Amino acid sequence: MEPISLFLLWLAAAVFIPEPGNLVVLLDEADGSVGRIVVSTAAGSQVLETANTGVNVLNQESPPTPPKAISQEQIRATFGKALDAAPVPPERFLLYFLTGTSTLTEESRAEIGKIAASFANRKQARATIIGHSDTVGDADVNFRLALLRAEEIRKIIIAAGLNAERIDARSHGEKDLIVKTVDNVDEPENRRVEITIW
Amino acid sequence: MIRTLMALFLVPVMLVGDINSAHAELPDGGIGEIKTLDAGTFVIRGDARESAALGGIVFQGDEFETDSQGAVGITFIDGSTLSLGSDSYMEIDAFIFVPQDEKLGFAVHFLKGTAMYLSGRIAKLSPEDVKISTPLATIGIRGTRLLIQVAE
């Protein structure tokens, strides 16, 4: 048989007949970024680093097949049900506060609508809220201030419609700075609440 | 400064908590939650095999099976998500997420069917601790979304 015939036969099999063994397909993520995976058997490895490419693994004794493009049609036909069952990925927001207070900045107040949309968009939504402070003042005062901030966001989220039992609010005080500073530094970026909707 | 240091000694327990995780008061040992579900999905936990429920908590060691109608989607406390199509079987062999102690691990074994996996913080912090396998192959991860089919 000519090599070209073999190639066509292989292509036909790949497209029209489900192959035995495994198929591993790399996808892009919601933000368009593409990771990198290495598929290995006892006999060797193949690297996938382009979205919508895949490898077949026929048995443990041979390496995975070289990467090939996998069409949207084949992805839907094979993986449609798994893709439809995929949860909405967690989404994280940062909210900022006026110095020494649990009062949101004007810009951050405008973010609340997006947060509400994020939990309205998913089944079984949960929220994890972590309050932070900058390093102005004592650590124990800052721990309580950051907790007040987390609790303030908790109230806002409950008012926006999320069940209180599905919200966890906690404080990391001044121990988890985004902008690393020495003690007693006024840093707006550190006066924040991180809220993850998942 | 001395007052600050004293305050640090007074509140260390309260300051302990996982950093940057999705973790809203799951029961002890809970590693994730069932977020999407089609009937025909079963959880195997120890000797028990029960129909999965929406909002059900997932634990290390759980196995998931779907029949010809079933499908399930899980979000884990590190932010990773995983879903199964119909006629599938998966074992969650290990899930460890204690970033402040640098204890991380995720090992899942797909025995049959179709699955989607979207990596989370464990893969970001320590990709070599994510172990995805099928009966034929292992899959190493560098932060990504992927599909797996294990045909019989």
Side-chain angles (χ1 to χ4, degrees), chain A residues 91-93 126-131 153 162 166-170 193-198, chain B residues 18 20-25 77:
Chain A
E91 196 171 2
R92 193 194 303 186
F93 302 87
R126 285 180 183 270
T128 302
I129 301 169
I130 303 175
I153 299 307
L162 189 59
R166 302 189 62 83
I167 304 174
D168 180 29
R170 62 181 71 188
V193 158
E194 295 175 34
I195 173 165
T196 304
I197 306 295
W198 66 289
Chain B
D18 46 12
N20 296 333
S21 63
H23 191 305
E25 287 182 330
I77 56 175

Side-chain angles (χ1 to χ4, degrees), chain A residues 47-124:
Chain A
V47 175
L48 288 174
E49 46 198 351
T50 305
N52 299 341
T53 61
V55 298
N56 285 106
V57 183
L58 303 178
N59 55 60
Q60 284 179 310
E61 291 74 37
S62 49
T65 57
K68 63 186 178 193
I70 309 290
S71 68
Q72 286 298 337
E73 290 73 23
Q74 192 186 349
I75 287 173
R76 278 313 303 177
T78 305
F79 297 104
K81 190 135 181 166
L83 285 167
D84 291 344
V88 180
E91 196 171 2
R92 193 194 303 186
F93 302 87
L94 290 174
L95 300 171
Y96 299 96
F97 295 83
L98 302 179
T99 186
T101 74
S102 59
T103 305
L104 281 171
T105 64
E106 206 61 37
E107 294 79 10
S108 287
R109 192 168 296 280
E111 288 281 292
I112 300 297
K114 282 186 212 162
I115 296 172
S118 181
F119 66 70
N121 184 34
R122 60 192 79 216
K123 300 174 188 164
Q124 305 293 321

Side-chain angles (χ1 to χ4, degrees), chain A residues 22 28 38 82 85 124 166, chain B residues 33 35-36 83 134 140 145 149:
Chain A
N22 303 165
D28 60 356
V38 184
Q124 305 293 321
R166 302 189 62 83
Chain B
E33 182 178 28
K35 297 286 190 181
T36 72
S83 57
T134 74
R145 188 163 74 108
Q149 181 189 33

Side-chain angles (χ1 to χ4, degrees), chain B residues 15-152:
Chain B
L15 292 170
V16 171
D18 46 12
I19 293 166
N20 296 333
S21 63
H23 191 305
E25 287 182 330
L26 295 188
D28 265 3
I31 60 171
E33 182 178 28
I34 296 174
K35 297 286 190 181
T36 72
L37 185 69
D38 285 359
T41 301
F42 305 90
V43 185
I44 296 93
R45 185 172 297 156
D47 293 334
R49 179 180 185 277
E50 292 179 357
S51 285
L54 204 56
I57 303 301
V58 178
F59 295 88
Q60 177 171 263
D62 282 355
E63 301 176 16
F64 283 84
E65 181 176 15
T66 58
D67 66 16
S68 61
Q69 303 301 309
V72 63
I74 299 162
T75 300
F76 293 92
I77 56 175
D78 77 324
S80 55
T81 67
L82 205 161
S83 57
L84 291 180
S86 53
D87 293 317
S88 300
Y89 200 108
M90 153 186 93
E91 302 170 348
I92 303 168
D93 293 328
F95 186 98
I96 304 151
F97 185 58
V98 193
Q100 65 270 32
D101 295 344
E102 294 180 11
K103 289 182 184 162
L104 301 163
F106 190 18
V108 59
H109 189 58
F110 294 103
L111 281 89
K112 67 165 184 169
T114 55
M116 190 227 63
Y117 164 78
L118 173 64
S119 63
R121 292 196 56 79
I122 294 174
K124 265 202 188 82
L125 295 168
S126 184
E128 63 277 13
D129 286 322
V130 177
K131 296 180 169 67
I132 296 177
S133 60
T134 74
L136 298 181
T138 61
I139 300 159
I141 301 294
R142 296 295 175 270
T144 200
R145 188 163 74 108
L146 62 93
L147 300 166
I148 301 166
Q149 181 189 33
V150 181
E152 288 182 292

Side-chain angles (χ1 to χ4, degrees), chain A residues 153-187:
Chain A
I153 299 307
R154 183 171 183 276
K155 280 181 214 152
I156 291 173
I157 296 303
I158 290 169
L162 189 59
N163 186 333
E165 287 170 11
R166 302 189 62 83
I167 304 174
D168 180 29
R170 62 181 71 188
S171 171
H172 284 179
E174 60 173 50
K175 298 292 113 189
D176 188 10
L177 305 172
I178 279 193
V179 180
K180 306 290 177 210
T181 70
V182 295
D183 204 12
N184 279 310
V185 174
D186 179 323
E187 174 50 65

